Amino acid sequence: MPGIDECLLEAMALPGARGASLVDWTSGLALGTAGDSPVGDHETTAAETAELARSAAEFDSFTAGDSVTAGGERPGPPVEDLIVTTRAGYHVLRFVETSFDSSVFLHLWLDRDSGNLALARIRLRDLAERLVLG
Amino acid sequence: MSRTAVSPMLVRLAAEKATGALLRDHGTLYLVDGRVVHAESPAAPGVDVLLTTGGRLPREGWDEAVDRAGAHRAVGRFLVDSGRLHGGELEICHLGAVFDAAFFALSPTSGPTRFRYGVGHWFGTVRPVSAEAVERETVRRRELLDAVWPYASVDTAPVVPRPPSPGQTVGARQRSLLAAADGERTPAELARLLGRPAFHTLLDVRRLAAAGLVETPLDPVPAPPPPAPLSALPVEDPDIALLRRLRDALEAL
């Protein structure tokens, strides 16, 4: 998988996918987008989801004692994903681990009826890895 | 978007699908067919710093890529084709660096703006971004900084940590930023040292300043006030004390 667009296209191929983006959670910048945004503007959604991701990545309750694993200390937050369930949909935010300093995550917005949350989580984990590991 | 353009010249160049380099006081934007393909600023760490500081790429690996592919303006492509980087990594890193440098390059300036038609950058094209998106993001970033903590003085001053209040905590990224702040390094120097985009560092410094964990220097050092004629009167002058007592007594009537 060569890059961001291919990664987002694959995410959009999941059942019930309505929108996908790759977002930087420090700045709130959308590095790439596909499909729709719940508010009709991907940049607004990126800024909002970035705030949520930043909280999860930085609050001690989610990270304390978790950054050192059996494999030694790794860069990036130990949080793997976030799921927000609404009446009409699911939002899955999957952190992307890079071996240079970055703060990005994949955001997938799914229709609640046609989406498959369990499948989406597994596929997003896989996509997040392949995006940076090839 | 009816907001005033950050750079009217950039808007015009995008409209005419120009190719070349837009030179401004604080950096340079490179355009191909009116789209932004690269940006550089002395204020922002380049892709090389971002990739080598964290150890993702050895410095020799970078230098070799520049030697081999710089003349063909295809260093980015070469890094991927030679197996040094994966496509997604390059895009993430390069896009981050472009928006970062563009933020500084497009900062308000009274200096001249020039455009050199046909000039390209040796890094080559990775993922072109519309000039409009770059302008919009630059404006959003300015507003974001001021929404967090409206004191631009922290952007350029040495970062001086302050002790946290009891129970106050910070996230891992801000913790490592504070650990590197020795009271002399500026946000730009810290960004380079940590291999992070400069805007991200500014934003974290403003967040830390808002939380009281970094000193906020007084905005521009106030000019010494002109000697006022009244200052000749010492406050402890007994006559003034007498007048005050008299006034107080009159007011009490």
Side-chain angles (χ1 to χ4, degrees), chain B residues 58-70 75 78-79 82 84:
Chain B
R59 179 46 79 168
E60 312 83 69
W62 170 268
D63 290 343
E64 199 200 337
V66 175
D67 284 347
R68 303 260 309 263
V75 173
F78 181 83
L79 287 169
S82 62
R84 286 171 170 80

Side-chain angles (χ1 to χ4, degrees), chain B:
Chain B
M1 289 287 130
S2 58
R3 271 199 282 234
T4 318
V6 172
S7 163
M9 194 184 224
L10 179 59
V11 174
R12 185 166 57 74
L13 293 165
E16 68 178 56
K17 299 196 187 311
T19 295
L22 179 68
L23 292 88
R24 290 171 55 97
D25 267 2
H26 302 291
T28 304
L29 297 188
Y30 292 86
L31 309 183
V32 170
D33 298 331
R35 291 166 73 80
V36 178
V37 295
H38 195 72
E40 281 182 337
S41 167
V47 177
D48 58 331
V49 175
L50 300 179
L51 288 174
T52 57
T53 304
R56 175 60 190 89
L57 207 64
R59 179 46 79 168
E60 312 83 69
W62 170 268
D63 290 343
E64 199 200 337
V66 175
D67 284 347
R68 303 260 309 263
H72 313 114
R73 290 183 186 168
V75 173
R77 195 70 259 151
F78 181 83
L79 287 169
V80 173
D81 290 347
S82 62
R84 286 171 170 80
L85 273 188
H86 295 290
E89 287 180 296
L90 176 70
E91 289 185 355
I92 292 170
C93 186
H94 185 250
L95 273 177
V98 166
F99 278 101
D100 194 36
F103 172 78
F104 295 99
L106 293 174
S107 60
T109 170
S110 52
T113 298
R114 283 163 295 144
F115 191 69
R116 298 233 173 98
Y117 281 91
V119 171
H121 192 275
W122 48 261
F123 194 77
T125 297
V126 176
R127 199 183 148 87
V129 190
S130 78
E132 193 206 353
V134 171
E135 286 228 339
R136 216 165 42 233
E137 178 65 10
T138 297
V139 171
R140 191 187 70 84
R141 289 183 173 206
R142 279 183 205 164
E143 292 171 351
L144 181 58
L145 284 180
D146 284 339
V148 168
W149 188 240
Y151 299 95
S153 57
V154 298
D155 295 354
T156 45
V159 179
V160 181
R162 300 179 76 231
S165 325
Q168 192 176 17
T169 59
V170 292
R173 292 180 64 81
Q174 295 184 350
R175 208 158 37 235
S176 55
L177 182 63
L178 285 174
D182 59 0
E184 291 180 6
R185 296 182 179 123
T186 61
E189 288 163 347
L190 288 167
R192 208 164 287 276
L193 181 75
L194 297 169
R196 291 181 186 177
F199 172 78
H200 291 46
T201 310
L202 286 191
L203 189 55
D204 274 335
V205 168
R206 289 229 197 176
R207 283 172 177 150
L208 286 165
L213 292 167
V214 156
E215 297 281 359
T216 301
L218 292 172
D219 236 345
V221 183
L230 280 176
S231 68
L233 293 175
V235 178
E236 294 311 312
D237 187 293
D239 289 337
I240 290 184
L242 178 66
L243 287 170
R244 280 203 181 118
R245 280 209 301 281
L246 191 58
R247 182 197 61 195
D248 292 347
L250 286 168
E251 281 176 350
L253 285 175

